[in-house]
């Protein structure tokens, strides 16, 4: 690699990932006791350092890689993130980041089966509906990121998951898949006064709109066009001065499992990573365009290029208090399976 820091990080990640595998597998067999201990240690590091670090680059893949060893680990990680996201005792920024991790993990983890993805949606979507119920009659039922940040981040996580997983949900049994998607009642979420389509990243919003129109779940384009008219740049002077640009990422969101770009260690991530692929021609934003299918390398995975914050170097760690595994949330029903 030409970039010295990236090359150094690549070598360190390769060593760390190899250590995780060597510790977890003994003579080719997964050693559950050692793996669970390692998982707990990494979750403690995740809570203290990785989760509070905005736009963390590549380091979070240590959890991604470990979770690929056994489904129980992946589900435990999702449960941990879910508790972080839905607990009002956590700071809003942590809840929003946890929602980003959930959406990115559900979309990108190739080792996650569809029942686990749907089980997570069955937690996230009812939470969104309950949040809408709690706000509809109140005085804060309007679009405001500072008031409803966790709600918008969770909406984006759900939309992003649908973009990547919708084909799996309907293939094999179209009628059953569509019935499930209709049951989620996306129309109510999209049409609510909090207006999540105005806040979510445009790339996510446009593809979600195309998919939901394809399946006749909800028509989003009227709302998107109205939001776009409200966010038109305003010229400072009649003589053609600089225009006031609008923020295309008001959540300041990022997807932690965006494509892994380190070459050496990336060989260990590639087999378990879902690249952006779409074989159909979707009508996005009123113009027909062919979306790329099955990129050969993660660098070509351009679904969110230019939309979410991408860091070229490792962002300095933001120290946070050590948190225990439990935040007092009720147990999650979908995690019945032991490690």
């Amino acid at each position: 690699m030409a970039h010295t820091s990236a090359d150094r990080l690549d070598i360190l990640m390769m060593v760390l990932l190899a250590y995780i595998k060597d510790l977890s597998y003994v003579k080719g067999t997964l050693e559950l006791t050692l793996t669970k201990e390692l998982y707990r240690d990494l979750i403690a590091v995740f809570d203290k350092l990785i989760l509070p670090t905005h736009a963390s680059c590549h380091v979070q893949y240590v959890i991604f890689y470990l979770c690929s060893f056994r489904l129980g680990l992946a589900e435990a990680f999702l449960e941990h993130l879910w508790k972080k996201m839905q607990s009002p005792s956590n700071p809003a920024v942590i809840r929003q980041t946890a929602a980003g991790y959930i959406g990115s993990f559900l979309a990108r983890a190739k080792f996650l089966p569809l029942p686990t993805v749907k089980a997570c949606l069955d937690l996230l979507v009812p939470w969104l509906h309950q949040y809408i119920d709690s706000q509809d009659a109140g005085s804060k039922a309007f679009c405001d990121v500072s008031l409803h940040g966790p709600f918008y981040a969770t909406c984006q996580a759900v939309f992003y998951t649908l973009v990547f997983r919708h084909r799996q949900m309907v293939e094999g049994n179209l009628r059953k898949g569509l019935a499930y998607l209709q049951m989620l009642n996306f129309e109510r979420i999209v049409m609510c006064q909090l207006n999540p389509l105005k806040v979510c990243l445009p790339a996510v919003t446009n593809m979600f709109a195309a998919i939901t129109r394809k399946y006749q779940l909800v028509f989003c384009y009227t709302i998107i066009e109205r939001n776009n008219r409200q966010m038109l740049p305003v010229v400072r002077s009649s003589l053609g001065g600089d225009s006031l640009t609008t923020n295309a990422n008001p959540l300041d969101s990022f997807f932690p499992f965006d494509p892994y770009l380190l070459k050496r260690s990336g060989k260990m991530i590639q087999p378990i990573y879902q690249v952006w692929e779409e074989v159909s021609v979707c009508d996005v934003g009123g113009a027909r365009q062919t979306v790329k299918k099955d990129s050969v390398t993660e660098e070509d995975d351009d679904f969110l290029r230019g939309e979410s914050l991408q860091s070229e170097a490792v962002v300095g760690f933001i120290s946070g208090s050590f948190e225990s595994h439990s935040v007092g949330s009720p147990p999650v029903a979908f995690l019945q399976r032991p490690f």
Side-chain angles (χ1 to χ4, degrees), residues 87-91 95 327:
S87 174
S89 63
N90 287 322
R95 298 175 67 191
V327 291

Side-chain angles (χ1 to χ4, degrees), residues 16-206:
L16 182 54
L17 295 178
Y19 171 77
I20 290 173
K21 184 173 183 179
D22 291 343
L23 187 65
S24 301
Y25 282 89
V26 177
K27 296 180 180 179
T29 302
L30 186 67
E31 177 54 55
L32 290 180
T33 302
L34 293 175
T35 304
K36 286 194 287 185
E37 290 177 358
L38 178 60
Y39 170 80
R40 294 187 184 101
D41 290 340
L42 288 179
I43 281 294
V45 175
F46 176 81
D47 285 348
K48 188 175 183 180
L49 296 175
I50 300 177
L51 184 63
T53 302
H54 182 61
S56 172
C57 196
H58 295 96
V59 178
Q60 61 270 18
Y61 271 91
V62 297
I63 292 286
F64 188 93
Y65 183 65
L66 180 63
C67 287
S68 70
F69 293 170
R70 193 175 180 88
L71 181 57
L73 294 171
E75 292 184 335
F77 181 53
L78 286 166
E79 179 184 17
H80 184 74
L81 293 171
W82 159 249
K83 288 179 178 179
K84 292 281 187 186
M85 190 284 297
Q86 58 90 46
S87 174
S89 63
N90 287 322
V93 65
I94 294 296
R95 298 175 67 191
Q96 291 171 214
T97 305
Y101 268 91
I102 292 174
S104 195
F105 193 76
L106 292 176
R108 296 295 195 169
K110 188 183 287 188
F111 48 86
L112 280 182
L114 184 60
T116 300
V117 175
K118 292 172 71 174
C120 289
L121 291 177
D122 290 341
L123 290 172
L124 296 172
V125 174
W127 184 88
L128 292 175
H129 286 296
Q130 291 172 11
Y131 191 91
I132 294 170
D133 290 337
S134 70
Q135 298 295 323
D136 269 351
S139 60
K140 299 179 180 179
F142 54 88
C143 185
D144 190 321
V145 175
S146 63
L147 291 176
H148 311 294
F151 170 81
Y152 293 124
T154 304
C155 284
Q156 183 162 270
V158 169
F159 298 166
Y160 189 70
T161 300
L162 182 70
V163 166
F164 274 81
R165 297 284 188 167
H166 69 96
R167 289 172 57 199
Q168 288 178 266
M169 293 178 183
V170 299
E171 64 185 7
N173 191 329
L174 180 61
R175 180 175 297 180
K176 185 176 180 180
L178 287 178
Y180 173 76
L181 292 175
Q182 290 167 355
M183 180 268 295
L184 296 176
N185 194 5
F186 286 123
E187 183 175 12
R188 181 169 185 256
I189 296 173
V190 167
M191 300 291 184
C192 76
Q193 296 181 66
L194 302 181
N195 194 3
L197 295 183
K198 187 175 184 178
V199 175
C200 295
L201 289 170
V204 176
T205 297
N206 290 332

